[in-house]
Amino acid sequence: MSLPNYQEFMRPLLQAYAETTEPCKIAKMEQVVANKMHLTSEQQSEMIRSKRNTVVYSRLHWASYYMYIAGLLRKPQPGYYEITPAGISALKSGAQINDAYLSQFPDFVAFMKRSNMKIKNTQGGVETETCSASQDPEESIDSAIGEINAALEDEILTSVKNIQPQRFERVVVDLMEAMDYGTGKLTQYTADGGIDGIIYEDELGLSKIYLQAKRYSDSKINEKEMQNFIGALASNGVSKGVFMTTSYFSDKARSRADKAQNMIIRLIDGAELAKLMLKHNLGARAKKNYDIKEFDETYFQ
C-alpha cells in the first residue's frame, strides 16, 4: 500500500496538533500521525531518494509548513508548531484539508505565487497546480533528478555500446582511475592474453588489478568467457580482477566468478557501468548546480 501524499497528511496532522498541550516539533508528531493513520513499520522507514529523511517526515514537514503559511498553524519558536483558531475551525468544518482548501487564505496564495507553484483545483477564484499531488517539494526535486539521471544513464550506455572495442577498453581504465583504484594502462590489443587493462594500485606496481572489457549490444557474457578471464588472472599470478561489459552476465558466468579460488572478481554489467560513469563524470558533466538549504534552528538558540 502506498503512503498517503503530503496533502492527505494535513488533517490527521492538524488533529494531532489540536490534541497536544504544548508546541511540538515535527519529529515528535511523526509517530503520533503514523499511529493515527495505521502506517506499517515498512512505510514509516521508507526514505526519500536523497536518504536525508523518511518520506513520512518529509511529507509532514511540508504539510505543516503549508498549513503554517495559510494560518492554520503558528510557530511560537523556531522549529515548533501549534494549532491556531483558524486550524481549529478547519477541523470543525469537516472539510478535506489540502492545497485547494488552503487556497482560500490569501497568504497561502501569495506564497504559491512567489514559489511559482499552483494548486490543482479551482477554489475561491484561484487556479492552481502543485508540482505533484503525491510528492512534497523535496521529493519532487529528488524525483526530477532521478529522472534526469536515468535518462543520462540510458544515453551513456547507448553511446558506449556504439564505440569501438578499443575505445571501450580505454573507458574501463578511465573509470577505474576515476574511482581512485590506482594508475591504469591498456595492454597491447593484439596480444593481451585476455586482459585489456591493468590498474597499478601502488606506486611501485606491486599490487595489480586486471581488467576485462567486453562491448556487446545484447549477447550475455557466458561461462566460457569468464573461465578464460579467470585463467588469465591465474597465469599471471593476479588475485584481483574486474570484468566490465555493456551487456549482462549469464547466471553460470556469475557463479563461475564467485567460485574462483583465491581470487576477488568484480562483475559490472551495462546498467551499473552507466551509473558509475555518470557518478564519476565520464560521458557527463555538470550542467547546473542548485543550492538547496534547510532551516538551521541552532543558530537561534
Side-chain angles (χ1 to χ4, degrees):
M1 184 174 67
S2 61
L3 276 167
N5 62 52
Y6 75 92
Q7 297 183 70
E8 293 170 327
F9 273 116
M10 286 184 179
R11 173 168 278 277
L13 175 58
L14 192 61
Q15 184 65 52
Y17 280 118
E19 295 169 358
T20 61
T21 58
E22 59 184 7
C24 290
K25 287 188 172 184
I26 296 167
K28 185 175 180 180
M29 287 297 180
E30 186 171 0
Q31 190 60 54
V32 174
V33 175
N35 291 341
K36 279 181 174 292
M37 302 187 75
H38 306 290
L39 302 182
T40 66
S41 57
E42 290 77 14
Q43 288 176 310
Q44 293 178 58
S45 61
E46 184 178 339
M47 303 295 288
I48 62 175
R49 188 185 296 269
S50 66
K51 306 298 182 183
R52 289 162 53 89
N53 293 308
T54 64
V55 174
V56 172
Y57 180 91
S58 181
R59 293 182 180 179
L60 289 177
H61 166 78
W62 288 103
S64 295
Y65 186 70
Y66 285 173
M67 289 192 290
Y68 159 72
I69 292 296
L72 275 59
L73 296 174
R74 68 186 182 102
K75 289 183 179 181
Q77 56 182 301
Y80 290 79
Y81 291 98
E82 65 181 5
I83 196 167
T84 66
I88 294 173
S89 296
L91 288 175
K92 289 181 177 179
S93 72
Q96 182 179 2
I97 302 174
N98 52 24
D99 288 349
Y101 178 86
L102 300 183
S103 69
Q104 67 184 284
F105 300 99
D107 286 345
F108 181 73
V109 175
F111 168 77
M112 285 299 189
K113 288 180 178 178
R114 292 198 308 272
S115 305
N116 293 320
M117 294 173 64
K118 296 182 178 179
I119 310 171
K120 277 195 168 180
N121 299 326
T122 299
Q123 185 168 327
V126 180
E127 214 174 273
T128 55
E129 180 179 356
T130 53
C131 50
S132 170
S134 63
Q135 295 182 321
D136 62 53
E138 188 171 358
E139 288 180 282
S140 296
I141 292 171
D142 284 345
S143 294
I145 292 173
E147 289 176 17
I148 291 170
N149 285 347
L152 280 171
E153 289 166 10
D154 183 67
E155 194 168 353
I156 287 171
L157 184 56
T158 299
S159 298
V160 170
K161 286 181 177 180
N162 288 298
I163 62 178
Q164 293 297 317
Q166 299 95 319
R167 178 72 180 103
F168 179 53
E169 292 173 6
R170 179 73 258 175
V171 168
V172 167
V173 172
D174 288 347
L175 179 56
M176 293 293 292
E177 289 183 331
M179 291 191 291
D180 292 326
Y181 276 97
T183 303
K185 79 166 188 177
L186 292 172
T187 59
Q188 293 296 320
Y189 185 68
T190 56
D192 59 19
I195 302 302
D196 298 315
I198 301 173
I199 297 294
Y200 299 96
E201 294 184 276
D202 59 272
E203 188 173 355
L204 298 179
L206 300 177
S207 181
K208 302 174 185 178
I209 302 173
Y210 274 19
L211 310 176
Q212 178 77 67
K214 290 291 185 183
R215 186 193 59 77
Y216 291 160
S217 294
D218 299 307
S219 301
K220 291 185 178 182
I221 303 300
N222 58 41
E223 184 180 16
K224 181 179 180 181
E225 290 173 299
M226 188 59 63
Q227 180 56 51
N228 290 340
F229 181 53
I230 293 171
L233 294 179
S235 63
N236 286 278
V238 175
S239 62
K240 288 183 278 188
V242 177
F243 199 135
M244 297 193 198
T245 180
T246 53
S247 60
Y248 309 91
F249 296 93
S250 70
D251 291 340
K252 288 185 177 181
R254 288 187 176 278
S255 177
R256 186 67 190 86
D258 290 340
K259 294 177 181 178
Q261 294 185 351
N262 302 317
M263 291 181 184
I264 300 174
I265 299 176
R266 181 68 163 84
L267 308 182
I268 298 176
D269 62 16
E272 185 176 6
L273 173 67
K275 287 182 182 295
L276 289 171
M277 289 182 67
L278 178 60
K279 179 180 179 180
H280 295 280
N281 298 317
L282 294 179
R285 59 176 179 266
K287 179 180 180 181
K288 186 181 294 185
N289 294 318
Y290 295 91
D291 187 13
I292 301 173
K293 300 178 181 180
E294 64 180 359
F295 178 69
D296 181 11
E297 64 180 87
T298 60
Y299 176 78
F300 299 94
Q301 294 176 351

